[in-house]
Amino acid sequence: MSGLAIRGLGKRYGDVVAASDVGFDVPQGSLTTLLGPSGCGKTTVLRLVAGLETPDAGSIHVGEREITALAPEHRNVGLVFQSYALFPHLTVEQNVMFSMQAASCAEAQARSRAQAALETVGLAGLGHRRAPDLSGGQQQRVALARALALAPAVLLLDEPLSNVDARLRRSLREEIRALQKQLQLTVVYVTHDQHEALAVSDQIVLMHEGQVVQSGSPQDLYERPRTEFVAAFMGEAGVFDAVCTADRRIWLGPLEVTSDHAAQPGPVRVAVRPEAWRLGPATASGLAASVLRHTYVGKAIEYILATPIGPVLAFSPHTTALDAGAPVSLSLGRHGVCVLRS
């Protein structure tokens, strides 16, 4: 069952196309991440869903109800702003109560729901504090509690961790994911950070220049990118020229590559993640290579290698580092290799 359905959504600002024919579903009780570089249109789509902008085309449905033309307060959609938008002169409890009182909720009921929401996000007992006295992570939780107190059908999170210290991001993203699963929330989560998206998402919708370029599970986008843009944005990847023969076998130099879709005979492009390469002793089999340089990066050694198909970036588990000029033979692992569709 779809918690949120977006169909053909479009938005222009003068000559700038911010969103063009954007469409995707967010299943009820799941978390979908809108991912992409700055200016790709992801925040515009979020604002269109929230009712802060009016679309030029398309429709938005929450469940069976179309909300495209409704005012923000009638959409049953909660929004957590990137800046948190907390009132510094109000207490934490008053901040959480504010949206409910604006919706004509009785004070006693608003206070009870605010206290329950604060307990849900782990801030019970801090309702008397003022927002500026809290840490960045606590302020983020207050903003989340304020949205949850309204019991929205869909929760929108706009770059929720961008203002949080890097040391707290992992724990906070895990808390958000755990809370989403616990409460079975339908969430749209906007970020430009692919690692964050991979960690929290049931589904990723990747945008570029106002359009959806690929959507699917985190594993789909990382292991089966359709284009060079997707391959590069979802993590480091080398893209190489390969050949599909008449019998539909695909060759990257001397290495055969399997594909999950039928390629046409002729030139094709293959994306290879650094962790897919396997370094071995120089032999007649495999792809001949020589070490240009290596870098210790903590959990692995990063190699740049010269090969007949071009420079290769490869990660290798901890071993004694190979010196520059050392000959090696490269093969490919089962994961992290994909034939691009376009």
Side-chain angles (χ1 to χ4, degrees):
M1 181 176 179
S2 180
L4 174 69
I6 292 175
R7 298 289 180 269
L9 212 57
K11 181 65 179 178
R12 298 178 68 98
Y13 298 99
D15 295 333
V16 177
V17 179
S20 175
D21 196 26
V22 173
F24 58 89
D25 290 332
V26 182
Q28 187 173 335
S30 70
L31 190 154
T32 288
T33 295
L34 288 181
L35 176 66
S38 297
C40 72
K42 57 189 185 295
T43 295
T44 296
V45 171
L46 200 76
R47 291 175 64 83
L48 291 170
V49 175
L52 302 179
E53 303 280 355
T54 302
D56 299 322
S59 63
I60 305 166
H61 291 77
V62 173
E64 301 300 320
R65 178 171 170 250
E66 183 172 357
I67 65 168
T68 315
L70 297 182
E73 62 270 22
H74 297 141
R75 293 184 174 222
N76 196 20
V77 170
L79 173 60
V80 177
F81 293 96
Q82 182 177 352
S83 63
Y84 309 144
L86 302 178
F87 298 106
H89 63 288
L90 300 181
T91 66
V92 166
E93 185 177 275
Q94 289 168 337
N95 265 284
V96 178
M97 291 174 61
F98 182 85
S99 55
M100 289 181 285
Q101 291 173 321
S104 302
C105 182
E107 183 172 350
Q109 184 183 13
R111 178 167 285 106
S112 175
R113 288 168 64 177
Q115 291 171 350
L118 288 170
E119 183 174 355
T120 297
V121 299
L123 294 179
L126 296 183
H128 65 286
R129 303 272 295 276
R130 294 191 182 276
D133 298 330
L134 301 180
S135 68
Q138 289 173 323
Q139 290 183 41
Q140 193 256 2
R141 293 183 200 178
V142 174
L144 184 58
R146 183 173 58 188
L148 291 175
L150 290 169
V154 177
L155 180 63
L156 310 176
L157 302 177
D158 186 12
E159 299 273 7
L161 304 183
S162 62
N163 294 324
V164 178
D165 186 280
R167 294 179 298 109
L168 295 176
R169 285 178 193 163
R170 179 185 292 271
S171 61
L172 284 174
R173 81 186 184 203
E174 290 175 353
E175 288 179 20
I176 289 173
R177 181 59 161 155
L179 189 63
Q180 180 268 323
K181 288 185 173 181
Q182 174 192 336
L183 301 179
Q184 284 295 288
L185 300 171
T186 302
V187 175
V188 179
Y189 186 112
V190 165
T191 184
H192 64 275
D193 186 326
Q194 68 269 30
H195 300 294
E196 197 174 303
L198 290 169
V200 302
S201 308
D202 294 303
Q203 173 184 227
I204 295 174
V205 176
L206 181 58
M207 296 188 64
H208 182 51
E209 297 181 343
Q211 296 183 312
V212 174
V213 292
Q214 189 172 341
S215 61
S217 70
Q219 186 173 359
D220 282 338
L221 267 71
Y222 188 82
E223 296 191 6
R224 291 175 286 278
R226 294 178 182 171
T227 68
E228 290 191 33
F229 171 79
V230 178
F233 194 84
M234 293 307 301
E236 293 183 282
V239 179
F240 304 95
D241 292 322
V243 175
C244 180
T245 58
D247 58 0
R248 302 299 175 92
R249 298 175 72 183
I250 298 168
W251 295 94
L252 177 59
L255 305 176
E256 186 172 6
V257 176
T258 58
S259 176
D260 61 356
H261 67 276
Q264 296 299 313
V268 295
R269 298 279 276 171
V270 173
V272 184
R273 301 287 181 199
E275 63 270 23
W277 292 106
R278 301 289 183 266
L279 276 70
T283 63
S285 62
L287 176 64
S290 61
V291 175
L292 292 176
R293 62 182 181 274
H294 71 266
T295 305
Y296 175 79
V297 292
K299 59 185 178 182
I301 295 175
E302 179 182 288
Y303 287 100
I304 304 294
L305 303 128
T307 80
I309 65 171
V312 162
L313 170 65
F315 296 158
S316 180
H318 281 165
T319 56
T320 301
L322 299 171
D323 294 328
V328 295
S329 184
L330 296 176
S331 59
L332 291 170
R334 296 182 59 186
H335 298 287
V337 185
C338 180
V339 178
L340 302 176
R341 302 191 182 198
S342 62

